[in-house]
Amino acid sequence: MLFIVLVLVLAALGLLVAALITANSLWAWISIGLSVVAGLLLLFDLLRRRKKRAAEAPAEEAAEDPAEEDEPAAEGEEKKPEDVEQTVLMPAAGELGDAEDTPEPQQNGDPGEEKSDPADVAVVSELEIEVVVVDEYPRYHVTSCEWLETRDTIPLGIGEARQLGFTPCALCTPDAEIAGKHREKG
């Protein structure tokens, strides 16, 4: 059936090209007619397949379930479908063993923005100290920031990070830390 539709569509395309080249509207109308016939054949095929699937579905269900219908369910027992997945429960933190052995859960989300002192911002903007950023997050961090954990980081100069629109992390306070270290060096 699909092969016939393909041939009709190609013939309609050929007739459309012929109509455009010869400026004869008869070829265009024949092309439209062939396209309509191809569409009707596709619709007919779709309806035929749906009807066939609908007829096969009840026959398959009847063949699969005869044993289950004969067994009566015990009192208090609900009939559960076999394909339903069981929810796996995660053990509570105390059930995992030693607290030292259990990894801390990775912090999700954005850590928030540091409220930087304007004097620190002025000092930091002139430096070429390297900070790190995480793709898809708007904060820059010092490399020892606990929020980074195992995330993939991208090293940038602090001035470049600020120019690109990154803001300082509230957890590791990179502006205050870097400005403080710079002032200590004096």
Side-chain angles (χ1 to χ4, degrees), residues 34-71:
L34 284 177
S35 297
V36 169
V37 169
L40 289 174
L41 281 175
L42 282 175
L43 182 65
F44 172 74
D45 189 48
L46 174 74
L47 295 174
R48 185 179 57 90
R49 287 182 186 197
R50 277 189 186 171
K51 190 174 184 180
K52 186 177 179 182
R53 268 191 244 134
E56 289 175 356
E60 288 177 4
E61 288 177 10
E64 291 176 2
D65 297 337
E68 291 179 9
E69 293 174 4
D70 294 340
E71 299 173 11

CSV table of all heavy atoms in Angstrom, one decimal, residues 34-71:
chain,number,residue,atom,x,y,z
A,34,LEU,N,-4.1,13.4,-8.0
A,34,LEU,CA,-3.3,12.3,-7.6
A,34,LEU,C,-2.9,12.4,-6.1
A,34,LEU,O,-2.8,11.4,-5.3
A,34,LEU,CB,-2.0,12.1,-8.4
A,34,LEU,CG,-2.2,11.6,-9.8
A,34,LEU,CD1,-0.9,11.6,-10.6
A,34,LEU,CD2,-2.7,10.1,-9.7
A,35,SER,N,-2.6,13.6,-5.6
A,35,SER,CA,-2.2,13.8,-4.2
A,35,SER,C,-3.4,13.5,-3.3
A,35,SER,O,-3.2,12.9,-2.2
A,35,SER,CB,-1.8,15.3,-4.0
A,35,SER,OG,-0.6,15.6,-4.8
A,36,VAL,N,-4.6,13.8,-3.7
A,36,VAL,CA,-5.8,13.5,-2.9
A,36,VAL,C,-6.0,12.0,-2.9
A,36,VAL,O,-6.3,11.4,-1.8
A,36,VAL,CB,-7.0,14.2,-3.5
A,36,VAL,CG1,-8.3,13.7,-2.8
A,36,VAL,CG2,-6.9,15.7,-3.2
A,37,VAL,N,-5.8,11.3,-4.0
A,37,VAL,CA,-6.0,9.9,-4.0
A,37,VAL,C,-4.9,9.2,-3.1
A,37,VAL,O,-5.2,8.3,-2.3
A,37,VAL,CB,-5.9,9.3,-5.5
A,37,VAL,CG1,-5.7,7.8,-5.5
A,37,VAL,CG2,-7.1,9.8,-6.3
A,38,ALA,N,-3.7,9.7,-3.1
A,38,ALA,CA,-2.6,9.2,-2.3
A,38,ALA,C,-3.0,9.4,-0.8
A,38,ALA,O,-2.8,8.5,0.0
A,38,ALA,CB,-1.3,9.8,-2.6
A,39,GLY,N,-3.5,10.6,-0.5
A,39,GLY,CA,-3.9,10.8,0.9
A,39,GLY,C,-5.1,9.9,1.4
A,39,GLY,O,-5.1,9.4,2.5
A,40,LEU,N,-6.0,9.7,0.5
A,40,LEU,CA,-7.1,8.8,0.8
A,40,LEU,C,-6.7,7.4,1.0
A,40,LEU,O,-7.2,6.7,1.9
A,40,LEU,CB,-8.2,8.9,-0.3
A,40,LEU,CG,-9.0,10.2,-0.3
A,40,LEU,CD1,-9.9,10.2,-1.5
A,40,LEU,CD2,-9.8,10.4,1.0
A,41,LEU,N,-5.7,7.0,0.2
A,41,LEU,CA,-5.2,5.6,0.4
A,41,LEU,C,-4.4,5.5,1.7
A,41,LEU,O,-4.6,4.5,2.4
A,41,LEU,CB,-4.2,5.3,-0.7
A,41,LEU,CG,-4.8,4.8,-2.1
A,41,LEU,CD1,-3.8,4.6,-3.1
A,41,LEU,CD2,-5.6,3.5,-1.8
A,42,LEU,N,-3.7,6.5,2.1
A,42,LEU,CA,-3.0,6.5,3.4
A,42,LEU,C,-4.1,6.4,4.6
A,42,LEU,O,-3.9,5.7,5.5
A,42,LEU,CB,-2.1,7.7,3.6
A,42,LEU,CG,-0.8,7.7,2.9
A,42,LEU,CD1,-0.1,9.0,3.1
A,42,LEU,CD2,0.1,6.6,3.5
A,43,LEU,N,-5.1,7.2,4.5
A,43,LEU,CA,-6.2,7.2,5.5
A,43,LEU,C,-6.8,5.8,5.6
A,43,LEU,O,-7.1,5.3,6.6
A,43,LEU,CB,-7.2,8.3,5.2
A,43,LEU,CG,-8.3,8.5,6.2
A,43,LEU,CD1,-7.8,8.9,7.5
A,43,LEU,CD2,-9.3,9.5,5.7
A,44,PHE,N,-7.2,5.3,4.4
A,44,PHE,CA,-7.8,3.9,4.3
A,44,PHE,C,-6.9,2.9,5.0
A,44,PHE,O,-7.3,2.1,5.8
A,44,PHE,CB,-8.1,3.6,2.9
A,44,PHE,CG,-8.5,2.1,2.7
A,44,PHE,CD1,-9.8,1.7,3.1
A,44,PHE,CD2,-7.6,1.2,2.2
A,44,PHE,CE1,-10.2,0.4,2.9
A,44,PHE,CE2,-8.0,-0.1,2.0
A,44,PHE,CZ,-9.3,-0.5,2.4
A,45,ASP,N,-5.6,3.0,4.7
A,45,ASP,CA,-4.6,2.0,5.3
A,45,ASP,C,-4.5,2.2,6.8
A,45,ASP,O,-4.5,1.2,7.5
A,45,ASP,CB,-3.2,2.2,4.6
A,45,ASP,CG,-2.2,1.2,5.0
A,45,ASP,OD1,-2.6,0.0,5.0
A,45,ASP,OD2,-1.1,1.5,5.4
A,46,LEU,N,-4.5,3.4,7.3
A,46,LEU,CA,-4.5,3.7,8.7
A,46,LEU,C,-5.7,3.1,9.4
A,46,LEU,O,-5.6,2.4,10.4
A,46,LEU,CB,-4.4,5.2,9.0
A,46,LEU,CG,-4.5,5.6,10.4
A,46,LEU,CD1,-3.2,5.3,11.1
A,46,LEU,CD2,-4.8,7.1,10.5
A,47,LEU,N,-6.9,3.3,8.9
A,47,LEU,CA,-8.1,2.8,9.5
A,47,LEU,C,-8.1,1.3,9.5
A,47,LEU,O,-8.5,0.6,10.4
A,47,LEU,CB,-9.3,3.4,8.8
A,47,LEU,CG,-9.5,4.9,8.9
A,47,LEU,CD1,-10.7,5.3,8.0
A,47,LEU,CD2,-9.8,5.2,10.4
A,48,ARG,N,-7.6,0.7,8.4
A,48,ARG,CA,-7.6,-0.8,8.3
A,48,ARG,C,-6.6,-1.3,9.3
A,48,ARG,O,-6.9,-2.4,10.0
A,48,ARG,CB,-7.1,-1.2,6.8
A,48,ARG,CG,-7.1,-2.6,6.6
A,48,ARG,CD,-6.6,-2.9,5.2
A,48,ARG,NE,-5.3,-2.4,4.8
A,48,ARG,CZ,-4.2,-3.1,5.0
A,48,ARG,NH1,-4.2,-4.3,5.5
A,48,ARG,NH2,-3.0,-2.5,4.7
A,49,ARG,N,-5.5,-0.7,9.5
A,49,ARG,CA,-4.5,-1.2,10.5
A,49,ARG,C,-5.1,-1.1,12.0
A,49,ARG,O,-4.9,-1.9,12.8
A,49,ARG,CB,-3.2,-0.5,10.4
A,49,ARG,CG,-2.4,-0.9,9.2
A,49,ARG,CD,-1.1,-0.1,9.2
A,49,ARG,NE,-0.4,-0.4,7.9
A,49,ARG,CZ,0.9,-0.2,7.7
A,49,ARG,NH1,1.6,0.3,8.7
A,49,ARG,NH2,1.4,-0.5,6.6
A,50,ARG,N,-5.7,0.0,12.2
A,50,ARG,CA,-6.3,0.2,13.6
A,50,ARG,C,-7.4,-0.9,13.9
A,50,ARG,O,-7.5,-1.4,14.9
A,50,ARG,CB,-7.0,1.6,13.7
A,50,ARG,CG,-6.1,2.7,14.0
A,50,ARG,CD,-6.9,3.9,14.3
A,50,ARG,NE,-6.0,5.1,14.5
A,50,ARG,CZ,-6.4,6.3,14.6
A,50,ARG,NH1,-7.7,6.6,14.5
A,50,ARG,NH2,-5.5,7.3,14.8
A,51,LYS,N,-8.2,-1.1,12.9
A,51,LYS,CA,-9.2,-2.2,13.0
A,51,LYS,C,-8.6,-3.5,13.2
A,51,LYS,O,-9.1,-4.3,14.1
A,51,LYS,CB,-10.1,-2.2,11.8
A,51,LYS,CG,-11.4,-3.0,11.9
A,51,LYS,CD,-12.2,-2.8,10.6
A,51,LYS,CE,-13.5,-3.6,10.8
A,51,LYS,NZ,-14.4,-3.4,9.6
A,52,LYS,N,-7.5,-3.8,12.5
A,52,LYS,CA,-6.9,-5.1,12.7
A,52,LYS,C,-6.2,-5.2,14.1
A,52,LYS,O,-6.4,-6.3,14.7
A,52,LYS,CB,-5.8,-5.2,11.6
A,52,LYS,CG,-5.1,-6.5,11.6
A,52,LYS,CD,-4.1,-6.6,10.4
A,52,LYS,CE,-3.3,-7.9,10.4
A,52,LYS,NZ,-2.3,-7.9,9.3
A,53,ARG,N,-5.6,-4.1,14.6
A,53,ARG,CA,-5.0,-4.2,15.9
A,53,ARG,C,-6.1,-4.3,17.0
A,53,ARG,O,-5.9,-5.0,18.0
A,53,ARG,CB,-4.2,-2.9,16.2
A,53,ARG,CG,-2.8,-3.0,15.8
A,53,ARG,CD,-2.0,-1.9,16.3
A,53,ARG,NE,-1.4,-1.2,15.2
A,53,ARG,CZ,-1.4,0.1,14.9
A,53,ARG,NH1,-1.9,0.9,15.8
A,53,ARG,NH2,-1.0,0.6,13.8
A,54,ALA,N,-7.2,-3.6,16.8
A,54,ALA,CA,-8.3,-3.7,17.8
A,54,ALA,C,-8.9,-5.1,17.8
A,54,ALA,O,-9.3,-5.6,18.9
A,54,ALA,CB,-9.4,-2.7,17.4
A,55,ALA,N,-8.9,-5.8,16.7
A,55,ALA,CA,-9.4,-7.2,16.7
A,55,ALA,C,-8.4,-8.1,17.3
A,55,ALA,O,-8.8,-9.1,18.0
A,55,ALA,CB,-9.7,-7.6,15.3
A,56,GLU,N,-7.1,-7.9,17.2
A,56,GLU,CA,-6.1,-8.7,17.8
A,56,GLU,C,-5.9,-8.6,19.3
A,56,GLU,O,-5.6,-9.5,20.0
A,56,GLU,CB,-4.7,-8.5,17.1
A,56,GLU,CG,-4.7,-9.0,15.7
A,56,GLU,CD,-3.4,-8.6,15.0
A,56,GLU,OE1,-2.6,-7.9,15.6
A,56,GLU,OE2,-3.2,-9.0,13.8
A,57,ALA,N,-6.1,-7.4,19.8
A,57,ALA,CA,-5.9,-7.1,21.2
A,57,ALA,C,-6.8,-7.9,22.1
A,57,ALA,O,-6.3,-8.5,23.1
A,57,ALA,CB,-6.1,-5.6,21.5
A,58,PRO,N,-8.1,-8.0,22.0
A,58,PRO,CA,-8.9,-8.8,22.9
A,58,PRO,C,-8.5,-10.3,22.8
A,58,PRO,O,-8.6,-11.0,23.8
A,58,PRO,CB,-10.3,-8.6,22.4
A,58,PRO,CG,-10.3,-7.3,21.7
A,58,PRO,CD,-9.0,-7.2,21.1
A,59,ALA,N,-8.2,-10.8,21.6
A,59,ALA,CA,-7.8,-12.2,21.5
A,59,ALA,C,-6.5,-12.5,22.3
A,59,ALA,O,-6.4,-13.5,22.9
A,59,ALA,CB,-7.6,-12.5,20.0
A,60,GLU,N,-5.5,-11.5,22.3
A,60,GLU,CA,-4.3,-11.7,23.0
A,60,GLU,C,-4.5,-11.7,24.5
A,60,GLU,O,-4.0,-12.5,25.3
A,60,GLU,CB,-3.3,-10.6,22.6
A,60,GLU,CG,-2.7,-10.8,21.3
A,60,GLU,CD,-1.8,-9.6,20.9
A,60,GLU,OE1,-1.5,-8.7,21.8
A,60,GLU,OE2,-1.3,-9.6,19.8
A,61,GLU,N,-5.4,-10.7,25.0
A,61,GLU,CA,-5.7,-10.7,26.4
A,61,GLU,C,-6.4,-11.9,26.9
A,61,GLU,O,-6.1,-12.4,28.0
A,61,GLU,CB,-6.6,-9.4,26.7
A,61,GLU,CG,-5.8,-8.1,26.6
A,61,GLU,CD,-6.7,-6.9,26.8
A,61,GLU,OE1,-7.9,-7.1,27.2
A,61,GLU,OE2,-6.3,-5.8,26.5
A,62,ALA,N,-7.3,-12.5,26.1
A,62,ALA,CA,-8.0,-13.7,26.5
A,62,ALA,C,-7.0,-14.9,26.6
A,62,ALA,O,-7.1,-15.7,27.4
A,62,ALA,CB,-9.1,-14.0,25.5
A,63,ALA,N,-6.0,-14.9,25.7
A,63,ALA,CA,-5.1,-16.0,25.7
A,63,ALA,C,-4.1,-15.9,26.9
A,63,ALA,O,-3.7,-16.9,27.4
A,63,ALA,CB,-4.3,-16.0,24.4
A,64,GLU,N,-3.8,-14.7,27.3
A,64,GLU,CA,-2.8,-14.5,28.4
A,64,GLU,C,-3.4,-14.8,29.8
A,64,GLU,O,-2.8,-15.2,30.7
A,64,GLU,CB,-2.2,-13.1,28.4
A,64,GLU,CG,-1.4,-12.9,27.2
A,64,GLU,CD,-0.9,-11.5,27.1
A,64,GLU,OE1,-1.2,-10.7,28.0
A,64,GLU,OE2,-0.2,-11.2,26.1
A,65,ASP,N,-4.7,-14.4,30.0
A,65,ASP,CA,-5.3,-14.4,31.4
A,65,ASP,C,-6.2,-15.5,31.8
A,65,ASP,O,-6.8,-15.4,32.8
A,65,ASP,CB,-6.1,-13.1,31.5
A,65,ASP,CG,-5.2,-11.8,31.4
A,65,ASP,OD1,-4.0,-12.0,31.6
A,65,ASP,OD2,-5.8,-10.8,31.0
A,66,PRO,N,-6.3,-16.7,31.1
A,66,PRO,CA,-7.3,-17.6,31.6
A,66,PRO,C,-6.9,-18.2,33.0
A,66,PRO,O,-7.8,-18.5,33.8
A,66,PRO,CB,-7.3,-18.7,30.5
A,66,PRO,CG,-6.0,-18.6,29.8
A,66,PRO,CD,-5.6,-17.1,29.9
A,67,ALA,N,-5.7,-18.5,33.3
A,67,ALA,CA,-5.3,-19.0,34.6
A,67,ALA,C,-5.5,-18.1,35.7
A,67,ALA,O,-5.9,-18.5,36.8
A,67,ALA,CB,-3.8,-19.5,34.5
A,68,GLU,N,-5.3,-16.8,35.5
A,68,GLU,CA,-5.5,-15.8,36.5
A,68,GLU,C,-6.9,-15.7,36.9
A,68,GLU,O,-7.3,-15.4,38.1
A,68,GLU,CB,-4.9,-14.5,36.1
A,68,GLU,CG,-3.4,-14.5,36.0
A,68,GLU,CD,-2.9,-13.1,35.5
A,68,GLU,OE1,-3.6,-12.2,35.5
A,68,GLU,OE2,-1.7,-13.1,35.2
A,69,GLU,N,-7.8,-15.8,36.0
A,69,GLU,CA,-9.3,-15.6,36.2
A,69,GLU,C,-9.8,-16.8,37.1
A,69,GLU,O,-10.7,-16.6,37.8
A,69,GLU,CB,-10.0,-15.5,34.9
A,69,GLU,CG,-9.7,-14.2,34.2
A,69,GLU,CD,-10.4,-14.2,32.8
A,69,GLU,OE1,-11.2,-15.1,32.5
A,69,GLU,OE2,-10.2,-13.2,32.1
A,70,ASP,N,-9.2,-18.0,36.9
A,70,ASP,CA,-9.7,-19.2,37.6
A,70,ASP,C,-9.3,-19.1,39.1
A,70,ASP,O,-10.1,-19.7,39.9
A,70,ASP,CB,-9.2,-20.4,37.0
A,70,ASP,CG,-9.7,-20.6,35.6
A,70,ASP,OD1,-10.8,-20.0,35.3
A,70,ASP,OD2,-9.1,-21.4,34.8
A,71,GLU,N,-8.2,-18.5,39.5
A,71,GLU,CA,-7.8,-18.5,40.9
A,71,GLU,C,-8.4,-17.3,41.6
A,71,GLU,O,-8.2,-16.2,41.3
A,71,GLU,CB,-6.2,-18.2,40.9
A,71,GLU,CG,-5.4,-19.3,40.2
A,71,GLU,CD,-4.0,-18.9,40.2
A,71,GLU,OE1,-3.5,-18.0,40.8
A,71,GLU,OE2,-3.2,-19.6,39.5
